[in-house]
Amino acid sequence: MSLKDELIKDRLPKHVAIIMDGNGRWAKKRGNARVFGHKHGVTAVRETTETAAELGIEYLTLYAFSTENWNRPKTEVDALMSLLVSTISSETGTLMKNNVRLNTIGCKESLPKGVQKKLNDCIEKTSANSGLTLTLALSYSSRWEIIEAFKKVAQDVKDNQLDVDDIDADMVSNYMTTAGIPDPELMIRTSGEYRISNFLLWQLAYSELYFCDILWPDFRRDDLYRALLDFQGRERRFGKTGDQIKK
Ligand code: FPP
């Protein structure tokens, strides 16, 4: 029986989030520059997106460029931005074929104009697709997002658009960049690092965390199936006892 066949189709997560890590180490192991790893990471992005779409997963969120990544050497940042542009150009057809809608979270204004335009064009072109929503976190960090949310809440209270007593968890979720998207039930991080790295801190409150040693450019269908099977073996308690959940 293949790993895919072992999956329980009606117990798949609606939303999977991934920290794609290990591109640099993958390249270094091969005696190449870090950018070589990012380029090969695109294959893993394509295969993961296609697999998630085929399985009927509704949301896939990929951490593609963090706020902190701006501090990398300029050559690497420039190469990553060029890679984004070329990947969006080459992959829009694949997104259309797989009925995938593109979305982004993060400080889009801080991205180069050319990247913004490519993203906006692809978001527009794929906007009527009704399958998987692929969200790229770009120039994103959770603390940035939370600060932005605080500012909007404060402004809305000041403008009498919001009553302080109405602030609850649902309302805070609606001030996040992921408003309207359910929280990820599963968060995967590749490359053997056990950190959240400023990714979806609010949204991951009850997510199952899955860490694997595979470096991102090597991540393939079976690796996603393995993560999903592991998820399906977990008991999600949300603070309750195991006995309460089984009732
Ligand atoms: C982390 O590996 C990866 C990134 C910072 C970039 C992710 C980009 C891609 C997978 C390619 C382009 C993506 C899209 C969506 C087109 P790292 O560089 O931190 O690796 P290391 O920990 O081994 O140094």
Side-chain angles (χ1 to χ4, degrees):
M1 194 153 90
S2 72
L3 288 170
K4 187 182 178 186
D5 293 336
E6 286 178 45
L7 286 169
I8 306 162
K9 299 288 174 301
D10 59 3
R11 281 192 47 212
L12 286 167
K14 272 199 170 76
H15 184 176
V16 177
I18 307 184
I19 301 179
M20 311 182 284
D21 197 14
N23 293 352
R25 277 163 284 166
W26 189 91
K28 204 170 169 196
K29 269 171 62 177
R30 286 159 180 79
N32 274 297
R34 300 176 53 80
V35 177
F36 184 70
H38 297 316
K39 283 187 182 147
H40 282 267
V42 174
T43 309
V45 169
R46 184 187 311 118
E47 192 153 324
T48 303
T49 305
E50 282 186 329
T51 309
E54 273 166 33
L55 288 172
I57 288 170
E58 292 177 41
Y59 300 93
L60 175 67
T61 300
L62 303 178
Y63 204 5
F65 192 84
S66 73
T67 309
E68 291 74 24
N69 287 155
W70 289 114
N71 298 321
R72 290 194 174 192
K74 187 176 177 322
T75 47
E76 183 173 345
V77 171
D78 289 349
L80 271 167
M81 293 300 139
S82 301
L83 187 60
L84 259 173
V85 170
S86 59
T87 304
I88 294 159
S89 294
S90 62
E91 299 301 324
T92 302
T94 313
L95 298 182
M96 293 305 288
K97 191 181 92 194
N98 290 287
N99 197 20
V100 177
R101 192 157 52 109
L102 184 70
N103 177 44
T104 60
I105 53 172
C107 182
K108 215 199 250 179
E109 303 74 49
S110 64
L111 298 168
K113 288 276 178 294
V115 176
Q116 291 185 40
K117 178 157 175 18
K118 273 281 168 216
L119 286 169
N120 290 339
D121 289 350
C122 185
I123 289 169
E124 167 75 29
K125 185 149 192 217
T126 59
S127 62
N129 289 345
S130 54
L132 174 78
T133 297
L134 170 66
T135 299
L136 298 182
L138 290 166
S139 193
Y140 170 89
S141 78
S142 228
R143 288 187 172 179
W144 164 82
E145 172 181 52
I146 290 168
I147 292 165
E148 290 300 301
F150 260 77
K151 286 183 188 167
K152 283 188 209 128
V153 167
Q155 191 63 51
D156 285 353
V157 169
K158 197 171 152 201
D159 295 344
N160 292 319
Q161 300 291 314
L162 179 68
D163 194 309
V164 171
D165 293 333
D166 289 338
I167 298 176
D168 60 13
D170 285 343
M171 200 230 68
V172 173
S173 290
N174 284 331
Y175 276 85
M176 295 291 159
T177 56
T178 48
I181 298 179
D183 291 341
E185 294 98 321
L186 173 64
M187 196 287 292
I188 300 170
R189 181 173 190 148
T190 59
S191 91
E193 303 288 351
Y194 297 82
R195 288 189 293 276
I196 305 291
S197 299
N198 217 346
F199 185 47
L200 302 175
L201 297 179
W202 171 265
Q203 298 86 340
L204 293 181
Y206 281 103
S207 306
E208 296 298 327
L209 307 181
Y210 177 87
F211 299 94
C212 62
D213 288 337
I214 298 144
L215 302 176
W216 178 251
D218 288 331
F219 195 84
R220 291 292 176 273
R221 276 170 193 272
D222 276 355
D223 301 307
L224 181 60
Y225 297 147
R226 273 186 204 100
L228 293 166
L229 282 167
D230 189 273
F231 167 81
Q232 291 189 333
R234 307 226 189 150
E235 182 183 69
R236 306 192 70 215
R237 291 202 290 270
F238 301 98
K240 295 183 180 172
T241 67
D243 287 343
Q244 282 176 303
I245 297 299
K246 283 186 191 95
K247 270 183 197 157

